[in-house]
Amino acid sequence: MSNTMTELRAAYGEIADLRAAMGLLEWDQQTHMPKEGFATRGRVVATLAQIAHERYLSPRFDELVAAAEAEAPPGDDAITLDLLRWERDRERRIPATLVEENSLAVTASYQAWEEARKTKDFAQFAPHLEKVVALRRRFADHYGYDAHPWDALVPGFERGMTAALIKPVFDKVQPRVTALLKAIQSKGPAHDLSFLDQRWDPDAQWAFGMRVLADLGFDLARGRQDRSTHPFTMGMAPTDVRLTTRLKAESLFSALMATAHEGGHGLYEQGFRPEDARTPLGHAPSSAVHESQARLYEYRVAACLPFWRHYAPVLREHFPGQLDNVSAEQLYAAINEVSASFIRVDADEVTYPLHIILRFELELELIAGTLAVRDLPEAWNAKMRAYLGITPPDPVLGCMQDVHWAEALFGYFPSYSLGTMFGAMFMEKMEADHPSLWTDMEAGDFRPVLGWLRRNVHTVGSRMKPLELVRAATGREFTPEPFLHYLEAKYTELYRLGG
Amino acid sequence: MSNTMTELRAAYGEIADLRAAMGLLEWDQQTHMPKEGFATRGRVVATLAQIAHERYLSPRFDELVAAAEAEAPPGDDAITLDLLRWERDRERRIPATLVEENSLAVTASYQAWEEARKTKDFAQFAPHLEKVVALRRRFADHYGYDAHPWDALVPGFERGMTAALIKPVFDKVQPRVTALLKAIQSKGPAHDLSFLDQRWDPDAQWAFGMRVLADLGFDLARGRQDRSTHPFTMGMAPTDVRLTTRLKAESLFSALMATAHEGGHGLYEQGFRPEDARTPLGHAPSSAVHESQARLYEYRVAACLPFWRHYAPVLREHFPGQLDNVSAEQLYAAINEVSASFIRVDADEVTYPLHIILRFELELELIAGTLAVRDLPEAWNAKMRAYLGITPPDPVLGCMQDVHWAEALFGYFPSYSLGTMFGAMFMEKMEADHPSLWTDMEAGDFRPVLGWLRRNVHTVGSRMKPLELVRAATGREFTPEPFLHYLEAKYTELYRLGG
């Protein structure tokens, strides 16, 4: 490595350290911070964000980038240079004052969101969301865009992605998923799931989730799990990765699904190469790739029949007397029960894409200004009725359910479904590479899954762009077909739709 | 406030924010961080320390200080200017590379200390301590000093203090404390304390400690308590103050004493004026003043007879069947039991100053280089024999018991005893101002204590220097006499030494 690249990496490393500190401040804010800590926490995060921004745009950083460009280094250095230059150029478009203003607004908005949820009062949250949306539009204006201001925001999560690229994919997926959902609804349940209607001790749920997390390969010497209102993952380094889950006594699977989902994120964060730490390489190439890992562990692993053939006896031990006559097949049917429901994170695999498409469409309108924030609850409910046939009784079950918009994460939602589709392609290839994949899982051995992902996804880091990574890992161009094929096959069998 | 002062406060505020983030990183490191998180944590803290250091020494900061000096502002602005100029001038003497080197060395040293304690192996820790001591000497050389290099380090905790000023105070205290200890040892216990020899459920200890903490006035919406190896307090802001305690099943009082001690620190941190946040005014004027609050709550509150007259029934409820025949007087005698023991933080009120004097003397020698680190265990044990008549069987019970030296806190230890002496002066005045003080406490009302401290100590912040604050609060010049008088009177009665 040249001296220039060494210095450039050191300069970038300081920015990475500031971001790691911000990660911890945000993790703490959602897990351990005393209630009134909000007053000053936003200020601290804003200062760190501002310093990171300044460092990116400092003359010294520019000099190093220019010197590195002149040297035109090969291999990883070339990718590193491309990534940090792209990030810098994007950062450069935003004035430091706007960064600070945004950071303070987001902290206040998060707090307002948490408070407003207690009283189910959208009006309390609305002024904060208006401010966040207005700030997003100002960001979009600074970034620049051709077709839609939303296109200016999405590259923060999916570089090179636009509304015009996503829409045809979603337009292909939606009618087939809608057809599947209608078939399921007209057929009705094929299994007796009345056992679900019990109280599930949160401590036992926690213990079972921790057991599964360790079995999946999450290293608890390099990470931990906590509780928070909305589950999330924060990776400070591959040696320090934090997940959260939530525990609901009325739901047998909610905590496990959150643990498996965040566990997928966490396994990814633990799987970056140690030597990529503090460089642009030690990250996912996009949010969709990150979500591919989360959705894969949530559904393809934790909601498959071999998983439940292995864990049914373990779950019975955790809830003595509550599951004695419940088979692995019933647990599998229960965790995959399809029903139109209000909450995205609790949504089943079939209705989930509809929740995403709804948010994608509303986001486009909010950012374009064709939908006013005050009209959001009504627009939300109208789409819920149209796509899922149900009307949320209050905003906590409607447009205030997700933390994303409160945290200014506009442009993120499509990543979940794109990620699910990437995951379906990974699974197809993984099955081909490991014919014993499902029998291994049934024996409680999840190493083939993690091994395949470590080799083909995790250790790649940001060395490839998302669609390149999908192509390299699977040998195919990106397509939603494997996802649709998997979904239709699985639920046709589960709901006996074929007959 | 002038524009100059507004800008200067904003510039200082950013440094305060970086320090707040470092506070959280360090709190997390000792409470929640996964084991292997150490690898990168030191790097993050070092980067933040370096940025804070750079900001202090930036030309912009210098310009603002010079402009403010020219304006010669009155009142709080004058004190703010004096404090931050003094801090800056001290910071300026240390090269940025040394700050970074020190920060990395301290993180490694803390880790080595924790690891070496597991195997009780001083040799494993020694190279790290040598590095820390060598770095302390380099810091002392940069700061400059007249009589002793230690004098260059102590102003970080006690501005204006020197070894030559402390030694006569300790020389006055030590013979009278030694005489008291010998009298106690020759007389023997006056109460049956055999009830202490039971197992005390850590969860019940935790619950009792949380109850006391709330009763003392610690606001749990603006703070929290966690567990750590070594109890400490971290205040990010008056709205976010974190204590830790430790739970030992074999000790009824260890957790409570830690909670009361850290609670004293925490009440102080919660008591700074909100408008002093992010300024040099919103801090204790010295470590001794901070320790005065901790030691006051630990001994003058949580180890007085009225406290136990109130809490004896509460404690009985927390340990059903274990304390049925134990009186408030026995609990009072038990928590104040005097015995020469190895661990400072578990030491009683009488032997405690001897632990401090031992450390003070060893520190002077380590920093002067007249004692080599490899000879520390032997020197420690020799002094333990001379002052307390006992020899630690291993370094965890000896020179590796405290985190301070591992964290480069040389110059801190005297603060505990100076603080105890300040606290004795505060209590003398508080008793005079509130004749019903002890009957209020016996009724479980601790508001008179907190109210007096809020008015006379907490809200003062750094507006006065330590000895000025003591004078303003008590109307007397600093003297160890009230401490010695209190100690002799209390233990003469407890051990019936009079007869």
Side-chain angles (χ1 to χ4, degrees):
Chain A
M1 208 191 316
S2 74
N3 282 342
T4 305
M5 283 307 294
T6 306
E7 281 186 60
L8 189 54
R9 276 173 203 258
Y12 184 88
E14 290 186 358
I15 296 166
D17 290 337
L18 285 161
R19 288 187 185 152
M22 288 163 67
L24 185 72
L25 285 157
E26 283 157 13
W27 169 83
D28 178 77
Q29 181 171 324
Q30 295 188 45
T31 53
H32 293 87
M33 189 178 73
K35 186 175 160 4
E36 310 220 352
F38 274 110
T40 51
R41 179 57 55 92
R43 187 65 258 174
V44 175
V45 175
T47 293
L48 266 57
Q50 191 190 325
I51 293 172
H53 184 76
E54 283 169 16
R55 296 246 148 184
Y56 241 134
L57 305 192
S58 70
R60 178 73 189 135
F61 199 83
D62 278 355
E63 282 166 30
L64 287 168
V65 168
E69 279 170 341
E71 289 178 10
D76 279 359
D77 282 353
I79 303 168
T80 300
L81 184 57
D82 171 64
L83 287 168
L84 59 80
R85 190 176 41 198
W86 184 83
E87 281 183 35
R88 181 205 56 180
D89 293 346
R90 200 169 153 79
E91 287 267 333
R92 175 173 285 163
R93 299 187 183 181
I94 310 300
T97 50
L98 184 54
V99 172
E100 200 188 341
E101 189 182 345
N102 185 63
S103 186
L104 289 171
V106 166
T107 304
S109 150
Y110 175 82
Q111 183 180 12
W113 173 76
E114 275 223 315
E115 288 298 316
R117 281 165 61 86
K118 287 178 194 157
T119 50
K120 302 180 179 179
D121 179 12
F122 181 74
Q124 203 183 329
F125 173 52
H128 291 275
L129 183 58
E130 269 166 20
K131 201 165 176 184
V132 166
V133 169
L135 280 161
R136 284 298 91 191
R137 276 204 292 267
R138 284 167 63 194
F139 272 73
D141 290 341
H142 283 288
Y143 288 135
Y145 55 87
D146 293 328
H148 194 292
W150 188 85
D151 293 347
L153 302 175
V154 76
F157 312 109
E158 302 291 331
R159 189 175 160 188
M161 200 59 83
T162 62
L165 284 168
I166 293 168
K167 204 163 179 309
V169 176
F170 284 179
D171 283 351
K172 188 174 196 178
V173 168
Q174 193 240 314
R176 280 173 65 180
V177 171
T178 298
L180 180 61
L181 176 62
K182 285 192 174 159
I184 290 167
Q185 283 175 328
S186 64
K187 182 84 182 191
H191 291 85
D192 175 12
L193 306 180
S194 60
F195 74 89
L196 286 174
D197 191 21
Q198 302 183 63
R199 188 187 177 276
W200 307 99
D201 175 31
D203 291 343
Q205 289 195 44
W206 178 267
F208 180 69
M210 289 302 289
R211 158 76 186 270
V212 170
L213 196 56
D215 289 351
L216 295 179
F218 186 78
D219 181 353
L220 288 160
R222 298 192 290 136
R224 53 179 286 129
Q225 182 176 259
D226 291 86
R227 297 176 63 168
S228 69
T229 305
H230 188 92
F232 69 99
T233 299
M234 188 281 293
M236 286 188 77
T239 48
D240 192 347
V241 178
R242 321 250 174 136
L243 328 176
T244 68
T245 191
R246 54 178 174 188
L247 301 172
K248 297 175 175 183
E250 72 279 14
S251 169
L252 176 55
F253 296 121
S254 162
L256 172 69
M257 297 298 268
T259 293
H261 181 99
E262 304 306 333
H265 284 307
L267 287 163
Y268 196 1
E269 290 284 328
Q270 288 189 338
F272 296 123
R273 299 185 199 171
E275 65 269 29
D276 289 348
R278 302 175 81 236
T279 83
L281 300 177
H283 299 278
S286 82
S287 301
V289 179
H290 225 309
E291 290 301 336
S292 77
Q293 304 305 291
R295 298 285 299 170
L296 189 154
Y297 272 98
E298 184 181 3
Y299 274 101
R300 305 305 301 266
V301 173
C304 76
L305 186 54
F307 181 96
W308 287 106
R309 290 216 169 103
H310 177 69
Y311 280 111
V314 181
L315 194 70
R316 271 183 222 114
E317 277 169 29
H318 280 78
F319 297 99
Q322 291 190 264
L323 293 164
D324 291 350
N325 301 312
V326 176
S327 67
E329 286 69 18
Q330 273 174 289
L331 291 168
Y332 168 64
I335 201 167
N336 290 299
E337 189 187 7
V338 175
S339 76
S341 66
F342 300 121
I343 299 291
R344 176 185 59 87
V345 296
D346 293 335
D348 57 80
E349 212 173 2
V350 175
T351 54
Y352 194 90
L354 303 174
H355 286 272
I356 293 303
I357 292 167
L358 171 154
R359 283 159 178 76
F360 169 69
E361 292 169 353
L362 291 174
E363 271 193 6
L364 291 181
E365 288 196 62
L366 281 171
I367 295 297
T370 52
L371 173 65
V373 165
R374 68 173 172 278
D375 298 328
L376 177 61
E378 204 174 313
W380 181 286
N381 291 358
K383 280 203 190 282
M384 282 296 288
R385 271 191 296 275
Y387 295 178
L388 293 151
I390 51 175
T391 306
D394 64 57
V396 174
L397 294 171
C399 67
M400 286 207 306
Q401 68 183 262
D402 293 307
V403 75
H404 300 61
W405 291 343
E407 291 197 321
L409 294 175
F410 284 84
Y412 193 96
F413 280 119
S415 303
Y416 293 106
S417 282
L418 296 173
T420 305
M421 296 169 201
F422 293 171
M425 295 183 69
F426 296 151
M427 288 306 294
E428 200 175 66
K429 187 61 165 51
M430 202 189 294
E431 280 177 317
D433 290 349
H434 286 280
S436 67
L437 186 70
W438 303 109
T439 49
D440 289 343
M441 272 204 236
E442 191 168 331
D445 184 357
F446 300 93
R447 287 173 301 180
V449 182
L450 185 55
W452 193 94
L453 294 171
R454 284 271 194 262
R455 279 190 302 280
N456 293 288
V457 182
H458 300 181
T459 52
V460 174
S462 285
R463 282 176 182 78
M464 289 186 243
K465 295 195 174 65
L467 298 184
E468 286 171 15
L469 184 148
V470 169
R471 191 186 309 122
T474 67
R476 291 181 69 177
E477 291 299 324
F478 169 59
T479 159
E481 284 303 331
F483 167 66
L484 289 166
H485 175 75
Y486 151 78
L487 205 70
E488 287 161 344
K490 174 175 173 178
Y491 290 90
T492 296
E493 192 188 338
L494 245 172
Y495 280 85
R496 295 165 193 161
L497 303 178
Chain B
M1 210 192 314
S2 75
N3 282 342
T4 307
M5 282 307 295
T6 304
E7 281 186 59
L8 189 53
R9 277 172 203 257
Y12 184 88
E14 290 186 359
I15 297 166
D17 290 338
L18 285 161
R19 288 189 184 149
M22 289 163 67
L24 185 73
L25 285 157
E26 283 157 14
W27 170 84
D28 177 79
Q29 180 170 326
Q30 295 188 43
T31 53
H32 294 88
M33 189 178 73
K35 186 176 160 6
E36 310 222 350
F38 274 110
T40 52
R41 178 58 54 91
R43 187 64 258 173
V44 175
V45 175
T47 294
L48 266 55
Q50 191 190 324
I51 293 172
H53 183 76
E54 283 169 15
R55 296 245 148 183
Y56 242 135
L57 305 191
S58 70
R60 178 74 189 134
F61 199 83
D62 277 356
E63 281 166 30
L64 288 168
V65 168
E69 280 170 339
E71 289 178 10
D76 278 0
D77 282 354
I79 303 169
T80 299
L81 184 56
D82 171 64
L83 287 168
L84 60 80
R85 189 175 43 197
W86 185 83
E87 280 183 36
R88 181 204 58 179
D89 292 346
R90 200 169 154 80
E91 287 267 333
R92 175 174 283 163
R93 299 187 183 182
I94 310 300
T97 50
L98 184 55
V99 172
E100 201 187 342
E101 189 182 344
N102 185 64
S103 186
L104 289 170
V106 165
T107 303
S109 152
Y110 175 82
Q111 183 179 11
W113 174 77
E114 275 224 316
E115 287 298 315
R117 281 165 60 88
K118 289 178 193 160
T119 51
K120 303 180 180 180
D121 180 12
F122 181 75
Q124 204 182 327
F125 173 51
H128 291 275
L129 184 58
E130 269 165 19
K131 203 167 173 182
V132 166
V133 169
L135 280 161
R136 285 295 93 189
R137 276 203 292 267
R138 284 168 62 195
F139 271 73
D141 290 341
H142 283 288
Y143 288 134
Y145 54 88
D146 292 327
H148 195 291
W150 189 85
D151 293 346
L153 303 175
V154 76
F157 313 109
E158 303 290 330
R159 188 175 162 189
M161 200 57 83
T162 62
L165 282 168
I166 294 167
K167 201 160 181 311
V169 176
F170 284 179
D171 283 351
K172 187 174 197 180
V173 168
Q174 193 241 311
R176 280 172 64 179
V177 172
T178 299
L180 181 60
L181 175 62
K182 285 193 176 160
I184 290 166
Q185 284 175 326
S186 64
K187 181 85 180 192
H191 292 85
D192 176 13
L193 306 179
S194 60
F195 74 88
L196 286 173
D197 192 21
Q198 302 183 64
R199 188 187 177 277
W200 307 99
D201 176 32
D203 290 342
Q205 290 194 43
W206 178 267
F208 180 69
M210 289 301 289
R211 158 75 186 268
V212 170
L213 197 55
D215 289 351
L216 295 179
F218 186 78
D219 181 353
L220 288 160
R222 298 192 290 137
R224 51 180 288 128
Q225 182 175 258
D226 290 87
R227 296 175 64 167
S228 69
T229 306
H230 189 92
F232 69 98
T233 300
M234 187 281 291
M236 287 188 77
T239 47
D240 192 347
V241 178
R242 322 251 175 136
L243 327 177
T244 69
T245 191
R246 53 179 175 189
L247 301 172
K248 298 176 174 182
E250 73 278 13
S251 168
L252 176 56
F253 296 120
S254 161
L256 173 69
M257 297 297 268
T259 292
H261 182 98
E262 303 306 331
H265 284 307
L267 287 164
Y268 196 1
E269 290 284 328
Q270 289 189 337
F272 296 123
R273 298 186 200 171
E275 65 269 29
D276 290 347
R278 302 176 81 236
T279 83
L281 299 178
H283 298 278
S286 83
S287 301
V289 179
H290 224 310
E291 291 301 336
S292 77
Q293 304 304 291
R295 298 285 298 169
L296 188 155
Y297 272 98
E298 185 181 2
Y299 276 101
R300 304 305 300 267
V301 174
C304 75
L305 186 54
F307 181 96
W308 287 106
R309 289 217 171 105
H310 177 70
Y311 280 111
V314 181
L315 194 69
R316 270 183 221 114
E317 276 168 30
H318 280 79
F319 297 99
Q322 291 190 265
L323 293 165
D324 291 349
N325 301 313
V326 177
S327 67
E329 286 69 20
Q330 273 173 291
L331 290 168
Y332 169 64
I335 201 167
N336 289 299
E337 188 187 7
V338 175
S339 75
S341 66
F342 300 121
I343 299 291
R344 175 185 59 86
V345 296
D346 293 336
D348 57 79
E349 210 173 3
V350 174
T351 55
Y352 194 90
L354 302 174
H355 286 273
I356 293 303
I357 292 167
L358 171 154
R359 283 158 178 76
F360 169 70
E361 292 169 353
L362 290 174
E363 272 193 6
L364 292 181
E365 289 197 60
L366 282 170
I367 295 299
T370 51
L371 172 65
V373 165
R374 67 174 173 279
D375 298 328
L376 177 61
E378 204 173 313
W380 180 286
N381 292 357
K383 280 201 191 283
M384 282 297 287
R385 272 191 296 274
Y387 295 177
L388 292 152
I390 53 175
T391 306
D394 65 56
V396 174
L397 294 171
C399 67
M400 286 206 307
Q401 68 182 262
D402 293 308
V403 75
H404 301 60
W405 290 343
E407 291 198 321
L409 295 175
F410 285 83
Y412 192 96
F413 281 119
S415 304
Y416 292 106
S417 282
L418 296 173
T420 305
M421 295 168 203
F422 293 171
M425 294 182 71
F426 296 150
M427 289 306 293
E428 201 176 65
K429 185 63 164 50
M430 203 187 294
E431 279 178 317
D433 290 348
H434 287 281
S436 67
L437 187 70
W438 302 109
T439 49
D440 289 344
M441 272 203 235
E442 190 166 331
D445 184 356
F446 300 94
R447 286 173 300 180
V449 181
L450 185 56
W452 193 95
L453 294 171
R454 284 273 194 262
R455 279 190 302 280
N456 293 288
V457 182
H458 300 181
T459 53
V460 174
S462 284
R463 283 176 181 78
M464 289 186 241
K465 295 196 174 63
L467 299 184
E468 285 171 15
L469 184 148
V470 168
R471 191 186 310 123
T474 67
R476 292 181 68 177
E477 290 300 323
F478 169 59
T479 160
E481 283 304 330
F483 168 66
L484 289 166
H485 174 75
Y486 151 78
L487 204 71
E488 287 162 345
K490 174 175 174 179
Y491 289 90
T492 296
E493 191 189 338
L494 245 172
Y495 280 85
R496 296 164 193 161
L497 303 177

